[in-house]
Amino acid sequence: MRQFFSTRQLAHAPLRELHNGGFTDYAETPARADAIRAGIGATEDPADHGTAAIQAVHTLDYLDFLQAAPMRWAEAGRPGDVIGYVWPVVGRRPLTFARIDAMVGQFSFDAATPLAATTWDAAYWSAQTALSALDAVLSGDKAALGLCRPPGHHAGADYMGGYCYLNSAAIVAQAAIDAGKTRVAILDIDYHHGNGTQDIFYDRSDVFYASVHADPLTDYPFYWGHADETGEGEAAGTTLNLPLPQGATLAPFRQAQATALEAIAAFGPDLLVISFGADTWEGDPISHFKLTTADYAVLARDIAACRWPSVILTEGGYAVGALGDNVASFVSGFQS
Ligand code: Q9C
Ligand code: ZN
């Protein structure tokens, strides 16, 4: 399987995040990418597809914000990375702010996603990595892997959050549609619900979003990913959320994934995008499922058996010591 990664994705390296009431070491580290590379072997540099595919998903004012905010933060005399402290809960209006603190609240939904001068380039190349994996599949490969770090599935059209800035899965799904695919499915098996991906395609009947994740009543991102969120308007029924309780092992996870695959089969996709997070692993430091390294090969074989051309993109996974083996296990299941 062709695998893509750019070393430019490593420069994004926030130090701290606001976690459960205090600042802690940032969990989404460059070492995660190094660990995955050590596990999966050689990767190819992605091609530069430019910004068109990114702009097909994200708004121009949000993309301007991602690039300019670190400079504005420094101009405001603030130390460290851009991080918000106030959010427009009641409803976001398209107001234009000059003050950085107002801007960051307007374009984010949590305080766990610091933005530095190095972030834009890393997120840009993470998206290019995903687009190169799509190219491989569009040119006939059964599957390809994008090592997407920083991850993407919490980022919406005009907001960052959950360590995510540009939504690579959404960018790939939209690029596939723009390349002539008529129906694209996204299977999200990160521990956390991919609220950004869901939001981007919530009213789109040509993109099916299915997610297996920790019940948002107990786990981040809390406000999205509940079973009664199923899509809106003509897209009603094209979002499927399958929350599981903390402690879930392979058996319930595999059963939920099978439910997702059946729904995707009924939808009839031309292409599958997989948001793969290894934060479902039993030893993950911020998550609470109980999957083993060997379980990822089982899950991947179940998906590969459906025979949809598949673009695999990495999302979370914070047990750095096991991350390479976990991603390698998933890839091996796809190939066997
Ligand atoms: N107390 C991804 O896996 N922090 N993002 C949670 C829980 C944010 C995870 C804090 C977790 C984001 C891509
Ligand atoms: Zn996650």
Side-chain angles (χ1 to χ4, degrees), residues 53-131:
I54 296 171
Q55 288 174 14
V57 163
H58 294 286
T59 66
L60 280 177
D61 54 355
Y62 174 62
L63 297 174
D64 288 345
F65 163 79
L66 287 177
Q67 293 166 84
M71 184 191 69
R72 291 179 180 278
W73 185 257
E75 282 171 1
R78 305 290 160 67
D81 302 324
V82 179
I83 192 151
Y85 67 85
V86 57
W87 284 272
V89 171
V90 174
R92 296 189 304 153
R93 299 165 56 206
L95 301 172
T96 303
F97 295 103
R99 184 165 161 181
I100 181 63
D101 307 277
M103 293 174 86
V104 63
Q106 183 88 343
F107 292 115
S108 64
F109 73 89
D110 71 11
T113 314
L115 178 57
T118 51
T119 301
W120 168 258
D121 197 62
Y124 177 91
W125 284 99
S126 189
Q128 301 305 326
T129 286
L131 287 165

Side-chain angles (χ1 to χ4, degrees), residues 189 247-254 276-284 288-296 299 326:
I189 50 171
T249 56
L250 178 64
F253 197 99
R254 189 180 188 190
F276 172 65
D279 44 8
T280 50
W281 187 62
E282 56 189 349
D284 194 88
H288 308 278
F289 281 172
K290 298 286 172 211
L291 299 191
T292 67
T293 299
D295 292 344
Y296 293 115
L299 294 171
N326 288 339

Side-chain angles (χ1 to χ4, degrees), residues 32 151 153-154 162-164 188-194 220 276-280 284 286-287 315-318:
R32 295 182 58 250
H153 74 152
H154 295 300
Y163 313 148
C164 301
D188 189 326
I189 50 171
D190 184 277
Y191 179 80
H192 306 96
H193 177 252
Y220 183 96
F276 172 65
D279 44 8
T280 50
D284 194 88
I286 67 167
S287 310
E315 298 282 358
Y318 306 98

Side-chain angles (χ1 to χ4, degrees), residues 45-294:
D45 278 329
D48 189 350
H49 300 72
T51 52
I54 296 171
Q55 288 174 14
V57 163
H58 294 286
T59 66
L60 280 177
D61 54 355
Y62 174 62
L63 297 174
D64 288 345
F65 163 79
L66 287 177
Q67 293 166 84
M71 184 191 69
R72 291 179 180 278
W73 185 257
E75 282 171 1
R78 305 290 160 67
D81 302 324
V82 179
I83 192 151
Y85 67 85
V86 57
W87 284 272
V89 171
V90 174
R92 296 189 304 153
R93 299 165 56 206
L95 301 172
T96 303
F97 295 103
R99 184 165 161 181
I100 181 63
D101 307 277
M103 293 174 86
V104 63
Q106 183 88 343
F107 292 115
S108 64
F109 73 89
D110 71 11
T113 314
L115 178 57
T118 51
T119 301
W120 168 258
D121 197 62
Y124 177 91
W125 284 99
S126 189
Q128 301 305 326
T129 286
L131 287 165
S132 288
L134 172 64
D135 287 343
V137 171
L138 290 180
S139 57
D141 290 8
K142 281 187 189 159
L145 175 77
L147 199 179
C148 292
R149 183 279 157 184
H153 74 152
H154 295 300
D158 63 351
Y159 54 85
M160 58 183 193
Y163 313 148
C164 301
Y165 306 87
L166 299 178
N167 192 318
S168 293
I171 289 166
V172 161
Q174 183 62 48
I177 298 273
D178 291 339
K181 300 291 177 192
T182 53
R183 294 162 85 77
V184 174
I186 302 170
L187 174 66
D188 189 326
I189 50 171
D190 184 277
Y191 179 80
H192 306 96
H193 177 252
N195 59 291
T197 314
Q198 169 174 300
D199 189 15
I200 288 164
F201 297 117
Y202 207 59
D203 61 355
R204 287 273 298 275
S205 57
D206 53 346
V207 179
F208 193 97
Y209 176 74
S211 179
V212 181
H213 51 267
D215 190 338
L217 287 176
T218 58
D219 281 79
Y220 183 96
F222 305 116
Y223 312 108
W224 309 279
H226 302 273
D228 64 349
E229 297 161 27
T230 57
E232 67 185 7
E234 65 173 27
T238 62
T239 292
L240 176 63
N241 284 308
L242 299 163
L244 294 174
Q246 290 189 2
T249 56
L250 178 64
F253 197 99
R254 189 180 188 190
Q255 191 172 31
Q257 183 181 271
T259 300
L261 293 173
E262 278 168 36
I264 292 169
F267 173 77
D270 304 314
L271 181 92
L272 180 69
V273 181
I274 303 166
S275 274
F276 172 65
D279 44 8
T280 50
W281 187 62
E282 56 189 349
D284 194 88
I286 67 167
S287 310
H288 308 278
F289 281 172
K290 298 286 172 211
L291 299 191
T292 67
T293 299

